[in-house]
């Protein structure tokens, strides 16, 4: 019910200014008043709605939503896979992940360096053999570990955000696509740079990885946002 309502708001099916009452939610989804209230509280905590006496929960405009909430991001990307949100988050990745990679090269623990090498090898193997579903799992784990290995808690806090972005990209083609061979090699070179403590090379490799994503998005029609 929460996902359904969140996606309905994110897609514009329920527009800013429209009200959602507990009674209407109970009727629509066949749930208890307690469950409907809990759902509204969650949406309110994410900035999607605000409670008003005698009116119900009124939908707020997108600029008031919690922009970095993984739930909100998921709903926005599900509602509009090729919309501006994916472009905005790709810009965020370009700003953060290369710096995080450089920090990881300087600060990662030895177990983290070893795990990044293992994940990079897994990514290359699965990408080459066409096991793209499990490739995505390894890719999400890899990028999350880079953020964590930076030892910067603000970078690490973006782990779930990046996971949603990586997952959201797959919706552009209606499903998982085999990664480009160059991207597979870049992940391995990045892991090797972090393992060797080469911050400059780690930053360069991550910048190229995100640039490859940006080029794919440009080809998919996100030119207006990414080039503005």
């Amino acid at each position: 019910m929460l996902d359904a309502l969140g996606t309905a708001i994110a897609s514009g099916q329920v527009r800013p200014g429209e009200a959602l009452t507990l009674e209407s939610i109970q009727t629509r989804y066949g749930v208890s008043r307690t469950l409907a209230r809990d759902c509204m509280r969650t949406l309110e905590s994410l900035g999607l709605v605000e409670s008003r006496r005698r009116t119900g929960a009124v939908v707020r405009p997108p600029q008031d939503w919690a922009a970095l909430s993984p739930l909100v991001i998921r709903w926005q990307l599900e509602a509009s896979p090729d919309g501006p949100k994916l472009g905005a988050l790709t810009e965020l990745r370009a700003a953060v992940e290369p710096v995080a990679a450089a920090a990881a090269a300087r600060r990662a623990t030895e177990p983290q360096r070893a795990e990044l090498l293992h994940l990079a090898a897994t990514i290359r193997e699965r990408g080459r053999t066409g096991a793209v579903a499990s490739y995505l799992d390894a890719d999400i784990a890899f990028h999350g570990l880079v953020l964590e290995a930076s030892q910067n808690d603000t970078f690490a806090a973006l782990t779930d955000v990046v996971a949603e972005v990586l997952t959201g990209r797959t919706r552009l083609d209606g499903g998982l696509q085999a990664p480009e061979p160059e991207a597979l090699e870049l992940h391995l070179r990045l892991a090797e740079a972090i393992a060797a403590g080469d911050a400059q090379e780690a930053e360069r490799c991550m910048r190229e990885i995100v640039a490859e994503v940006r080029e794919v998005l440009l080809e998919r029609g996100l030119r207006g946002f990414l080039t503005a």
Side-chain angles (χ1 to χ4, degrees):
M1 180 180 67
L2 179 63
D3 282 336
L5 282 170
T7 303
I9 293 172
S11 66
Q13 295 177 29
V14 183
R15 299 180 180 180
E18 292 187 37
L20 297 168
T21 64
L22 294 180
E23 292 76 13
S24 66
I25 294 173
Q26 285 180 265
T27 300
R28 181 173 181 178
Y29 295 100
V31 297
S32 68
R33 191 175 185 83
T34 299
L35 187 56
R37 184 182 293 109
D38 288 344
C39 183
M40 284 300 97
R41 285 174 177 167
T42 300
L43 292 175
E44 186 170 16
S45 72
L46 297 172
L48 272 70
V49 302
E50 63 176 337
S51 297
R52 295 181 185 174
R53 294 185 62 184
R54 304 187 183 90
T55 303
V58 178
V59 177
R60 301 173 69 181
Q63 58 265 31
D64 294 339
W65 302 350
L68 293 180
S69 161
L71 268 179
V72 174
I73 290 170
R74 182 186 308 167
W75 295 332
Q76 289 177 305
L77 295 182
E78 286 178 351
S80 182
D82 58 352
K85 187 66 174 185
L86 188 56
L89 291 167
T90 300
E91 288 188 345
L92 175 66
R93 290 187 63 197
V96 170
E97 287 197 78
V99 180
R106 294 190 296 267
R107 304 171 187 154
T109 65
E110 288 307 315
Q112 287 172 332
R113 295 176 199 272
E115 181 62 15
L116 283 170
L117 287 170
H118 170 71
L119 286 170
T122 300
I123 286 170
R124 184 168 65 170
E125 178 185 357
R126 292 176 179 176
R128 283 177 171 176
T129 59
V132 290
S134 55
Y135 160 85
L136 177 61
D137 292 337
D139 195 34
I140 288 172
F142 181 89
H143 285 271
L145 184 54
V146 171
L147 294 171
E148 179 185 337
S150 72
Q151 311 303 333
N152 182 321
D153 60 354
T154 57
F155 289 164
L158 296 173
T159 297
D160 290 342
V161 171
V162 172
E164 291 297 338
V165 179
L166 293 171
T167 303
R169 178 187 168 186
T170 66
R171 299 188 183 98
L172 288 177
D173 297 306
L176 292 169
Q177 301 294 315
E180 295 292 331
E182 182 180 357
L184 301 176
E185 294 304 317
L186 277 171
H187 281 75
L188 185 58
R189 293 207 298 270
L190 170 58
E192 290 172 343
I194 292 175
D198 189 339
Q200 184 175 357
E201 177 65 6
E203 181 172 350
R204 186 193 68 78
C205 288
M206 183 63 89
R207 201 171 298 283
E208 287 194 27
I209 289 172
V210 180
E212 186 270 335
V213 174
R214 185 175 184 274
E215 289 302 314
V216 169
L217 298 185
L218 288 173
E219 292 173 2
R220 297 297 189 275
L222 290 179
R223 300 179 185 278
F225 184 88
L226 289 172
T227 61

